[in-house]
Amino acid sequence: MPFTTLRYELRDHVAQVTLDRPEVHNAFDLAMMRELRTLWRDLREDDEVRAVVLTGAGDRAFCTGVDRTALDDPDLPIGTRGGTPLHFDDPGDWISPKTAGDLWKPVVAAVNGMACGGAFYLLGQVEFIIAADHATFFDPHTSYGMASVFESMAMLQRMPLGEVMRMQLTGAYERLSAQRAHQIGLVQEVVPAGQLLDAAWRVATVIASQPPLAVQATLRAVWYAQELGYRQALEVGKTLVQLGNDPAALAEGQAAFASGVRTPWRLR
């Protein structure tokens, strides 16, 4: 479908999704939220897509969360619906790849500047993050009188407790550098800004070149282990082993190993 707030490119089984509102630091409004929800579902059903690179337009920001100028839109899915507090809409239900799209294909985030606030709805559900060396991470909610709840929960899946507490509670007064984010494990690689997309595409292309069933079953196993108790995850793992070991891919892999030719690799 045509998009107005996103740019989309597909090459070598890798889809690049670019948040395309650079004039507002790629903040999301209702249109972007709707388009992201549609896109994640479309990618889920497109067998040509085996991996995704997610980035933002320009070099100033990856995403800065909800566009504050859009908050007056009565259709924006934020807040109570249906007359009681038990019916609550949250942006994560619309924009997060796994929650909104049930997408279990690897998503690599390429963070090209500021990532703050609602950006963590996206970063909390990617497989890993590559950042430009000028990227920064922060959450200004508390500085403006708002509780950071879902963003904090998302980051706790990726960062040590003390780091989450400090970033969330210092609000707009501190920013996490790309280098510090790498030290604590939030970011897996830091590269010069001019090399960011090349770095993300390089690893996404490698992932996409491998048997998709094995990749997706591995991805699901890791997320289950992150979110379930260890013993529960092991039980689910028994099913994933059977689902993820495609006989044709196994035979091809065994033949490649028996040939004696080894895959070229790079050290990082």
Coordinates of all heavy atoms in Angstrom, one line a residue, residues 12-14 43-52 103-107 127 204-221 240-250 252-253:
D12 N 16.8 -8.2 -1.7 CA 17.5 -9.4 -1.2 C 16.9 -9.9 0.1 O 17.5 -10.3 1.1 CB 19.0 -9.1 -0.9 CG 19.8 -8.7 -2.2 OD1 19.4 -9.2 -3.2 OD2 20.7 -7.9 -2.1
H13 N 15.5 -10.0 0.1 CA 14.7 -10.5 1.2 C 14.8 -9.6 2.5 O 14.4 -10.0 3.5 CB 15.1 -11.9 1.6 CG 14.9 -12.9 0.4 ND1 13.6 -13.2 0.0 CD2 15.7 -13.6 -0.3 CE1 13.7 -14.1 -1.0 NE2 15.0 -14.3 -1.2
V14 N 15.4 -8.4 2.4 CA 15.5 -7.5 3.5 C 14.6 -6.3 3.2 O 14.7 -5.7 2.2 CB 16.9 -7.0 3.8 CG1 16.9 -6.0 4.9 CG2 17.8 -8.2 4.1
L43 N 4.1 -7.3 6.5 CA 5.4 -8.0 6.5 C 5.4 -9.4 7.1 O 6.1 -10.3 6.6 CB 6.5 -7.2 7.3 CG 6.8 -5.8 6.8 CD1 7.9 -5.1 7.6 CD2 7.2 -5.8 5.3
R44 N 4.5 -9.6 8.0 CA 4.3 -10.9 8.6 C 3.8 -11.9 7.5 O 4.2 -13.1 7.6 CB 3.2 -10.8 9.7 CG 2.8 -12.1 10.4 CD 1.8 -11.7 11.5 NE 1.4 -12.9 12.2 CZ 0.2 -13.6 12.0 NH1 -0.6 -13.1 11.1 NH2 -0.1 -14.6 12.8
E45 N 3.0 -11.4 6.6 CA 2.4 -12.3 5.6 C 3.2 -12.4 4.3 O 2.8 -13.1 3.4 CB 1.0 -11.9 5.4 CG 0.1 -12.0 6.6 CD -1.3 -11.4 6.4 OE1 -1.6 -11.1 5.3 OE2 -2.0 -11.3 7.5
D46 N 4.3 -11.6 4.2 CA 5.0 -11.6 2.9 C 6.2 -12.5 3.0 O 7.2 -12.2 3.7 CB 5.5 -10.1 2.7 CG 6.1 -10.0 1.3 OD1 6.4 -11.0 0.6 OD2 6.3 -8.8 0.9
D47 N 6.2 -13.6 2.3 CA 7.3 -14.6 2.4 C 8.6 -14.1 1.8 O 9.7 -14.7 2.0 CB 6.9 -15.9 1.8 CG 5.8 -16.6 2.6 OD1 5.7 -16.4 3.8 OD2 5.1 -17.5 2.0
E48 N 8.5 -13.0 1.0 CA 9.7 -12.5 0.4 C 10.5 -11.7 1.5 O 11.7 -11.5 1.3 CB 9.4 -11.5 -0.7 CG 8.9 -12.1 -2.0 CD 10.0 -13.0 -2.6 OE1 11.1 -12.4 -2.8 OE2 9.8 -14.2 -2.8
V49 N 9.9 -11.3 2.5 CA 10.6 -10.6 3.6 C 11.1 -11.6 4.7 O 10.3 -12.3 5.3 CB 9.7 -9.6 4.2 CG1 10.4 -8.9 5.4 CG2 9.2 -8.6 3.2
R50 N 12.4 -11.6 4.9 CA 13.0 -12.5 5.9 C 13.6 -11.7 7.0 O 13.9 -12.3 8.1 CB 14.0 -13.4 5.2 CG 13.5 -14.3 4.2 CD 14.5 -15.3 3.7 NE 14.0 -16.2 2.7 CZ 14.7 -17.2 2.1 NH1 16.0 -17.3 2.4 NH2 14.2 -18.0 1.2
A51 N 13.9 -10.5 6.8 CA 14.5 -9.6 7.9 C 14.1 -8.2 7.6 O 13.8 -7.8 6.4 CB 16.0 -9.8 7.9
V52 N 14.2 -7.3 8.6 CA 13.8 -5.9 8.5 C 14.8 -5.0 9.1 O 15.4 -5.3 10.1 CB 12.4 -5.7 9.2 CG1 12.0 -4.2 9.0 CG2 11.3 -6.7 8.7
L103 N 4.6 -9.9 14.5 CA 5.7 -10.1 13.5 C 6.9 -10.8 14.2 O 7.5 -10.2 15.1 CB 6.2 -8.8 12.9 CG 7.3 -8.9 11.9 CD1 6.9 -9.6 10.7 CD2 7.8 -7.5 11.6
W104 N 7.2 -12.0 13.8 CA 8.3 -12.8 14.3 C 9.3 -13.0 13.3 O 9.9 -14.1 13.1 CB 7.7 -14.1 14.9 CG 6.8 -13.8 16.0 CD1 5.4 -13.8 16.0 CD2 7.1 -13.4 17.4 NE1 4.9 -13.4 17.2 CE2 5.9 -13.2 18.1 CE3 8.3 -13.2 18.1 CZ2 5.9 -12.8 19.4 CZ3 8.3 -12.9 19.4 CH2 7.1 -12.6 20.0
K105 N 9.7 -12.0 12.6 CA 10.8 -12.0 11.7 C 11.8 -11.0 12.3 O 11.4 -10.0 12.9 CB 10.4 -11.5 10.3 CG 9.4 -12.5 9.6 CD 9.0 -12.0 8.2 CE 8.0 -13.0 7.6 NZ 7.6 -12.6 6.3
P106 N 13.1 -11.2 12.1 CA 14.1 -10.4 12.8 C 14.0 -8.9 12.3 O 14.0 -8.6 11.1 CB 15.4 -11.0 12.4 CG 15.1 -12.4 12.0 CD 13.7 -12.4 11.4
V107 N 14.0 -8.0 13.3 CA 14.0 -6.6 13.0 C 15.3 -6.0 13.6 O 15.6 -6.1 14.8 CB 12.8 -5.9 13.6 CG1 12.9 -4.4 13.3 CG2 11.5 -6.5 13.1
E127 N 15.1 -7.0 17.5 CA 16.0 -8.1 17.9 C 17.3 -7.5 18.4 O 17.8 -8.0 19.4 CB 16.3 -9.1 16.8 CG 15.2 -10.2 16.7 CD 13.8 -9.7 16.7 OE1 13.3 -9.0 15.8 OE2 13.1 -10.0 17.7
A204 N 21.6 -7.7 8.4 CA 20.2 -8.2 8.0 C 20.3 -9.1 6.8 O 19.5 -10.1 6.7 CB 19.3 -7.0 7.8
T205 N 21.2 -8.8 5.9 CA 21.3 -9.6 4.7 C 21.8 -11.0 5.0 O 21.4 -12.0 4.5 CB 22.2 -8.9 3.7 OG1 21.7 -7.7 3.3 CG2 22.3 -9.8 2.4
V206 N 22.8 -11.1 6.0 CA 23.3 -12.3 6.4 C 22.2 -13.2 7.0 O 22.0 -14.4 6.7 CB 24.4 -12.2 7.4 CG1 24.7 -13.5 8.2 CG2 25.7 -11.6 6.7
I207 N 21.4 -12.5 7.9 CA 20.3 -13.2 8.5 C 19.3 -13.7 7.5 O 18.8 -14.9 7.5 CB 19.6 -12.3 9.6 CG1 20.5 -12.0 10.7 CG2 18.3 -12.9 10.1 CD1 20.0 -10.9 11.7
A208 N 19.0 -12.9 6.5 CA 18.0 -13.2 5.5 C 18.4 -14.3 4.6 O 17.6 -15.0 3.9 CB 17.6 -12.0 4.7
S209 N 19.7 -14.5 4.5 CA 20.3 -15.6 3.6 C 20.2 -17.0 4.2 O 20.4 -18.0 3.5 CB 21.8 -15.3 3.3 OG 22.6 -15.5 4.5
Q210 N 19.8 -17.1 5.5 CA 19.7 -18.4 6.1 C 18.2 -18.9 6.1 O 17.3 -18.1 5.9 CB 20.2 -18.2 7.6 CG 21.7 -17.8 7.6 CD 22.2 -17.6 9.0 OE1 23.0 -18.4 9.5 NE2 21.7 -16.6 9.7
P211 N 18.0 -20.2 6.3 CA 16.7 -20.8 6.2 C 15.7 -20.0 7.2 O 16.0 -20.0 8.4 CB 16.9 -22.2 6.7 CG 18.3 -22.5 6.3 CD 19.1 -21.2 6.5
P212 N 14.6 -19.5 6.6 CA 13.8 -18.6 7.5 C 13.1 -19.4 8.6 O 12.9 -18.8 9.7 CB 12.7 -18.1 6.4 CG 12.8 -19.0 5.3 CD 14.2 -19.5 5.2
L213 N 12.7 -20.6 8.4 CA 12.1 -21.3 9.5 C 13.0 -21.5 10.7 O 12.6 -21.3 11.9 CB 11.6 -22.7 9.0 CG 10.6 -23.5 9.9 CD1 9.4 -22.6 10.2 CD2 10.3 -24.8 9.3
A214 N 14.3 -21.8 10.4 CA 15.2 -22.0 11.5 C 15.5 -20.6 12.2 O 15.5 -20.5 13.5 CB 16.5 -22.5 11.0
V215 N 15.5 -19.6 11.4 CA 15.7 -18.2 12.0 C 14.6 -17.8 12.9 O 14.7 -17.4 14.0 CB 16.0 -17.2 10.9 CG1 15.9 -15.8 11.4 CG2 17.3 -17.4 10.2
Q216 N 13.3 -18.0 12.4 CA 12.2 -17.6 13.1 C 11.9 -18.4 14.4 O 11.5 -17.9 15.4 CB 10.9 -17.6 12.2 CG 11.0 -16.5 11.1 CD 9.9 -16.6 10.1 OE1 8.8 -17.1 10.4 NE2 10.2 -16.2 8.8
A217 N 12.2 -19.7 14.3 CA 12.0 -20.5 15.5 C 13.1 -20.2 16.5 O 12.8 -20.1 17.7 CB 12.2 -22.0 15.1
T218 N 14.3 -19.8 16.1 CA 15.3 -19.4 17.1 C 14.9 -18.1 17.7 O 15.0 -17.9 18.9 CB 16.7 -19.2 16.3 OG1 17.1 -20.5 15.8 CG2 17.7 -18.7 17.3
L219 N 14.4 -17.2 16.9 CA 13.9 -15.9 17.4 C 12.8 -16.1 18.5 O 12.9 -15.5 19.6 CB 13.4 -15.0 16.3 CG 13.0 -13.6 16.5 CD1 13.1 -12.8 15.1 CD2 11.5 -13.5 16.9
R220 N 11.9 -16.9 18.2 CA 10.8 -17.2 19.1 C 11.3 -17.8 20.4 O 10.8 -17.5 21.5 CB 9.7 -18.1 18.5 CG 8.9 -17.4 17.4 CD 8.1 -16.3 17.8 NE 7.1 -16.6 18.8 CZ 5.8 -16.8 18.5 NH1 5.3 -16.7 17.3 NH2 4.9 -17.0 19.5
A221 N 12.3 -18.7 20.3 CA 12.8 -19.4 21.5 C 13.4 -18.3 22.4 O 13.2 -18.4 23.6 CB 13.8 -20.4 21.1
L240 N 9.3 -25.9 19.5 CA 10.0 -25.1 18.5 C 11.1 -25.9 17.8 O 11.3 -25.6 16.6 CB 10.6 -23.9 19.2 CG 9.6 -22.9 19.8 CD1 10.4 -21.8 20.5 CD2 8.8 -22.2 18.6
V241 N 11.7 -26.8 18.4 CA 12.8 -27.6 17.8 C 12.1 -28.4 16.6 O 12.7 -28.5 15.5 CB 13.4 -28.6 18.8 CG1 14.2 -29.6 18.1 CG2 14.4 -27.8 19.7
Q242 N 11.0 -28.9 16.9 CA 10.3 -29.7 15.8 C 9.8 -28.9 14.7 O 9.9 -29.2 13.5 CB 9.2 -30.5 16.4 CG 9.6 -31.5 17.5 CD 8.4 -32.3 18.1 OE1 7.8 -33.1 17.4 NE2 8.1 -32.0 19.3
L243 N 9.3 -27.7 15.0 CA 8.8 -26.8 14.0 C 9.9 -26.1 13.2 O 9.8 -25.9 12.0 CB 7.9 -25.7 14.7 CG 6.6 -26.1 15.3 CD1 5.9 -25.0 16.0 CD2 5.7 -26.7 14.2
G244 N 11.0 -25.8 13.9 CA 12.1 -25.0 13.2 C 13.1 -25.8 12.4 O 13.9 -25.2 11.7
N245 N 13.1 -27.1 12.6 CA 14.1 -28.0 11.8 C 13.4 -28.5 10.6 O 12.9 -29.6 10.5 CB 14.6 -29.1 12.7 CG 15.4 -28.6 13.9 OD1 15.9 -27.5 13.8 ND2 15.7 -29.5 14.8
D246 N 13.5 -27.7 9.5 CA 12.9 -28.0 8.2 C 13.8 -29.1 7.6 O 15.0 -28.9 7.4 CB 12.9 -26.8 7.4 CG 12.4 -27.1 6.0 OD1 11.3 -27.6 5.8 OD2 13.1 -26.8 5.0
P247 N 13.2 -30.2 7.2 CA 14.0 -31.3 6.6 C 14.8 -30.9 5.4 O 16.0 -31.3 5.3 CB 13.0 -32.4 6.3 CG 11.9 -32.1 7.2 CD 11.8 -30.6 7.4
A248 N 14.3 -30.1 4.5 CA 15.0 -29.7 3.3 C 16.2 -28.8 3.7 O 17.3 -29.0 3.1 CB 14.0 -29.0 2.4
A249 N 16.0 -27.9 4.6 CA 17.0 -27.0 5.0 C 18.1 -27.8 5.7 O 19.3 -27.5 5.6 CB 16.5 -25.9 5.9
L250 N 17.7 -28.8 6.5 CA 18.7 -29.6 7.2 C 19.6 -30.4 6.3 O 20.8 -30.5 6.4 CB 18.0 -30.6 8.2 CG 17.5 -30.0 9.5 CD1 16.6 -31.0 10.2 CD2 18.6 -29.5 10.4
E252 N 20.2 -29.6 3.1 CA 21.1 -28.7 2.4 C 22.2 -28.3 3.3 O 23.4 -28.2 2.9 CB 20.3 -27.5 2.0 CG 21.0 -26.5 1.2 CD 20.2 -25.3 0.7 OE1 18.9 -25.4 0.7 OE2 20.7 -24.3 0.4
G253 N 21.9 -28.0 4.6 CA 23.0 -27.7 5.5 C 24.0 -28.8 5.7 O 25.2 -28.5 5.8

